[in-house]
Amino acid sequence: MPRRLVATRALAESTRRLLREQKVSWAEQNTGVLHLAAPGLLVDIRGEERASKKGWPTPRAKLQGISGLVAETLVDWEAGQLIQLRVLAGKAGVSTALVSRILQRLSALRIVETIASGPSRQWALIERGGLLDLWAEEEERTPSVVTPLNVWSRSPNALLSKLPQLNQVTPLWAVGGTTAANLYAPTLTTFPEPVIWVDAKVPFEDVARVLGGEKVERGANVLLWQSERNLALKQSRIIEPNGFNSDLNQPLQLVSRPRAYIEALHGAGRSQEVAQNLREKILRNDSE
């Protein structure tokens, strides 16, 4: 079988996985990824360190941290609605200059398409899945502080029902991880132990007290995640009980659907299955 080399501007991670499985080599102009496979040879190089050269994305356009908020907002962008610079910046809570740099990169990657030019310039999201894959690859997912808690509850649902009590100590909290993904796209018959993002300024003792739990070394049934800039909470949303397809009886705050997907994607057990179901639900926005 003849060896093939694909030369392109950029590929989504799902396409890269397919090419690896088929032992096809490729080179990406915009991202600097070079993957060469041959008998007795494997070379996989990523050229982000050359980002200062013309034509390569700058580090500030990486979809991490504050820049990731732009991707997080765009993934859930309403199908068919054109993207305006100031509107996107307002929804993401970032500067128009940052949004402009990111849209330039996404245009080069053919994830968004530029409509018109000049002051009336707009963009259209044409590759939602590619954007989700790109953000999943680049986003920083590790919280600064992880605190394991054991919270008394009769059942996983009862545990989730206690979480709105966090409003007594802070309005900045949200369920994340596989639990959030499973609430958005019901897959598992029982809820996994939840991950809760909480305002970094709130002491874990306050969280444990209001939930009726304690910090433990073993036997945790809740993981408390905190990061200094609270970026995971910027796009969180309140979901009413009738949107859960469960017997929960109170509204819950969840991280956004794209963030829940990424966190479930890197989870253990059946998290991958939950993530895939949520991904399909996100992508169906293109036709819904």
Side-chain angles (χ1 to χ4, degrees):
M1 177 179 177
R3 297 285 170 175
R4 294 182 175 86
L5 171 64
V6 176
T8 183
R9 290 184 180 275
L11 296 172
E13 185 58 31
S14 58
T15 305
R16 293 173 184 167
R17 288 196 296 268
L18 178 61
L19 293 180
R20 289 191 189 99
E21 293 171 359
Q22 299 300 318
K23 295 182 171 53
V24 176
S25 302
W26 78 86
E28 300 175 39
Q29 178 185 10
N30 291 334
T31 63
V33 174
L34 173 63
H35 181 93
L36 298 178
L41 171 68
L42 172 61
V43 180
D44 194 339
I45 299 174
R46 297 174 182 265
E48 283 82 358
E49 66 273 14
R50 299 173 57 192
S52 61
K53 291 194 175 184
K54 185 177 180 180
W56 294 80
T58 65
R60 289 179 296 177
K62 294 282 286 184
L63 302 181
Q64 297 177 345
I66 294 177
S67 297
L69 293 174
V70 179
E72 185 175 2
T73 304
L74 269 179
V75 169
D76 259 346
W77 200 260
E78 184 178 346
Q81 181 181 4
L82 292 180
I83 302 162
Q84 297 178 321
L85 188 67
R86 292 189 180 278
V87 173
L88 176 55
K91 289 185 175 182
V94 301
S95 69
T96 55
L98 176 59
V99 171
S100 179
R101 290 195 296 270
I102 293 174
L103 287 174
Q104 288 178 19
R105 180 189 180 194
L106 297 181
S107 295
L109 296 176
R110 300 188 183 279
I111 289 175
V112 301
E113 179 181 17
T114 304
I115 308 296
S117 60
S120 61
R121 180 182 303 174
Q122 298 181 91
W123 293 261
L125 178 60
I126 58 176
E127 185 50 68
R128 195 184 304 269
L131 175 58
L132 188 58
D133 289 341
L134 185 63
W135 187 44
E137 180 182 357
E138 297 185 356
E139 173 65 1
E140 300 167 336
R141 290 171 294 275
T142 305
S144 302
V145 179
V146 177
T147 306
L149 301 177
N150 183 270
V151 177
W152 184 88
S153 64
R154 296 186 303 274
S155 66
N157 273 16
L159 176 57
L160 288 180
S161 295
K162 297 181 72 172
L163 298 186
Q165 297 177 30
L166 289 170
N167 289 316
Q168 299 175 27
V169 293
T170 178
L172 296 178
W173 65 273
V175 179
T178 303
T179 296
N182 194 58
L183 286 167
Y184 282 124
T187 304
L188 308 178
T189 56
T190 183
F191 291 108
E193 296 171 353
V195 166
I196 312 171
W197 285 96
V198 176
D199 183 1
K201 297 179 181 179
V202 175
F204 78 84
E205 292 90 347
D206 290 354
V207 174
R209 173 181 51 80
V210 76
L211 293 181
E214 61 181 351
K215 181 180 179 181
V216 294
E217 295 296 329
R218 296 181 180 180
N221 60 355
V222 172
L223 288 181
L224 174 62
W225 285 4
Q226 295 175 290
S227 286
E228 184 177 355
R229 293 183 292 178
N230 291 326
L231 297 182
L233 298 169
K234 298 295 185 182
Q235 300 296 321
S236 63
R237 54 188 295 194
I238 298 176
I239 305 296
E240 296 297 327
N242 58 10
F244 286 136
N245 191 27
S246 75
D247 58 358
L248 298 179
N249 55 16
Q250 296 185 64
L252 274 183
Q253 295 182 179
L254 308 183
V255 298
S256 70
R257 296 193 309 170
R259 189 172 294 274
Y261 163 74
I262 290 178
E263 292 175 359
L265 186 65
H266 294 84
R270 297 183 62 191
S271 294
Q272 306 289 318
E273 181 183 350
V274 180
Q276 183 59 36
N277 286 344
L278 178 54
R279 174 189 171 85
E280 293 174 1
K281 189 171 184 178
I282 291 172
L283 297 189
R284 281 199 301 271
N285 279 351
D286 287 325
S287 56
E288 289 178 352

